[in-house]
Amino acid sequence: MGLRGQADRTSDTAAKVPTMDTYLSNIQALNKAGASPQVMGAFVVYDLPDRDCAALASNGEYSIANGGVAKYKAYIDSIRKILLKYPDTKVALIVEPDSLANLVTNLSVAKCSGAASAYKECVTYAIQQLNLSNVAMYLDAGHAGWLGWSANIQPAAQMFGDLYKAAGKPAAVRGLATNVANYNAFSIATCPSYTQGNSNCDEKRYINALAPLLTAAGFPAHFVMDTSRNGVQPTKQQAWGDWCNVIGTGFGTRPTSNTGDALEDAFVWIKPGGECDGTSNTSAARYDSHCGLSDALQPAPEAGTWFQAYFQQLLANANPSF
């Protein structure tokens, strides 16, 4: 099965969902015309109510207080309706970046504790309704510097296992996605200074530590990793938790299923290269202080909009180069 150049985040608002139909129609036509290898569609499902509960930059269109759970289920229904039109086209779905991981580490944040039950209800609904024979789903599992810490990895495995089992173990749930929109190496010889204290200092170490815990929790998972911004190692992050428009980054390994690790299904480009993480404008409603740090490229526009200077940085520092 071929890999598209990146996972398309056409599904981060309900209004964008119909573009999935356009992409899948084009992919179906390519495959019927004899594409070799066959082309696989990849999309990001990203519209939870009270989304991005521990940050400000990527708040979404739905709120729990304003009927967000029902609206989210309608959003999922619209995705399912489109997928059902293309039963012969393979599709990979990355499900809700920056969501369930917050329920492991950020329940002290009022917005996250208030959203916990809604997140679980909505993600459960999504993986049940999108459980189709031509679909492979990967739930977002943060990254090594988030859930890879010794205090977090076992609770994370238990949480994912419990949700997977409670949803009825949907066959289309293949596993977990890591490093989405982040910068970590898959495998690095020397752990960078900003990872000090965490033996799981890269994504290979992280998934190989997490996988047996997931299996013990009833969820025998495989993984995909976002390599869209990890071409420069070590990074110029001042702290491992610095996530916003980090300076000095480059495009990483091109999408491939040749990963060298039986647990890792593929390296994929999930975060679109020119998509901004968040604005550096301190007067903006969605300003997050991480986007004003010294290791964040500035000036930066609103999250989700095109950031030309960042794209140029990724291109200039790409490894392998273009």
Side-chain angles (χ1 to χ4, degrees), residues 99-187:
S99 58
L100 296 177
N102 277 305
L103 306 189
V104 178
T105 64
N106 289 318
L107 289 180
S108 61
V109 177
K111 187 176 178 182
C112 292
S113 60
S117 63
Y119 276 20
K120 290 180 180 179
E121 179 181 350
C122 288
V123 172
T124 297
Y125 186 82
I127 63 177
Q128 289 175 333
Q129 295 303 309
L130 304 178
N131 184 34
L132 305 172
S133 61
N134 60 317
V135 171
M137 286 182 277
Y138 297 86
L139 305 179
D140 184 76
H143 59 89
W146 188 350
L147 298 185
W149 297 88
S150 59
N152 299 337
I153 195 166
Q154 177 63 60
Q158 194 62 54
M159 184 268 296
F160 283 115
D162 289 348
L163 185 139
Y164 173 70
K165 290 182 292 185
K169 299 183 178 181
V173 177
R174 171 73 175 170
L176 303 177
T178 75
N179 203 49
V180 174
N182 213 68
Y183 312 96
N184 295 340
F186 179 64
S187 179

Side-chain angles (χ1 to χ4, degrees), residues 1-145:
M1 209 33 72
L3 287 169
R4 301 292 282 177
Q6 68 182 32
D8 194 274
R9 195 174 288 194
T10 52
S11 306
D12 63 352
T13 65
K16 294 182 181 178
V17 170
T19 61
M20 290 182 68
D21 202 344
T22 302
Y23 283 113
L24 289 172
S25 177
N26 290 341
I27 291 169
Q28 183 184 64
L30 287 170
N31 289 338
K32 287 183 176 179
S36 182
Q38 292 277 284
V39 177
M40 182 178 190
F43 303 91
V44 181
V45 177
Y46 184 54
D47 207 15
L48 278 175
D50 287 14
R51 191 178 72 189
D52 202 20
C53 65
L56 298 173
S58 299
N59 293 172
E61 63 181 340
Y62 297 147
S63 69
I64 294 169
N66 193 31
V69 170
K71 291 174 182 177
Y72 182 82
K73 290 180 178 180
Y75 157 83
I76 293 298
D77 292 343
S78 68
I79 294 174
R80 174 184 167 87
K81 183 177 180 180
I82 291 171
L83 292 174
L84 287 171
K85 293 174 60 178
Y86 302 94
D88 57 343
T89 301
K90 297 292 186 182
V91 175
L93 300 176
I94 309 301
V95 180
E96 296 299 342
D98 295 340
S99 58
L100 296 177
N102 277 305
L103 306 189
V104 178
T105 64
N106 289 318
L107 289 180
S108 61
V109 177
K111 187 176 178 182
C112 292
S113 60
S117 63
Y119 276 20
K120 290 180 180 179
E121 179 181 350
C122 288
V123 172
T124 297
Y125 186 82
I127 63 177
Q128 289 175 333
Q129 295 303 309
L130 304 178
N131 184 34
L132 305 172
S133 61
N134 60 317
V135 171
M137 286 182 277
Y138 297 86
L139 305 179
D140 184 76
H143 59 89

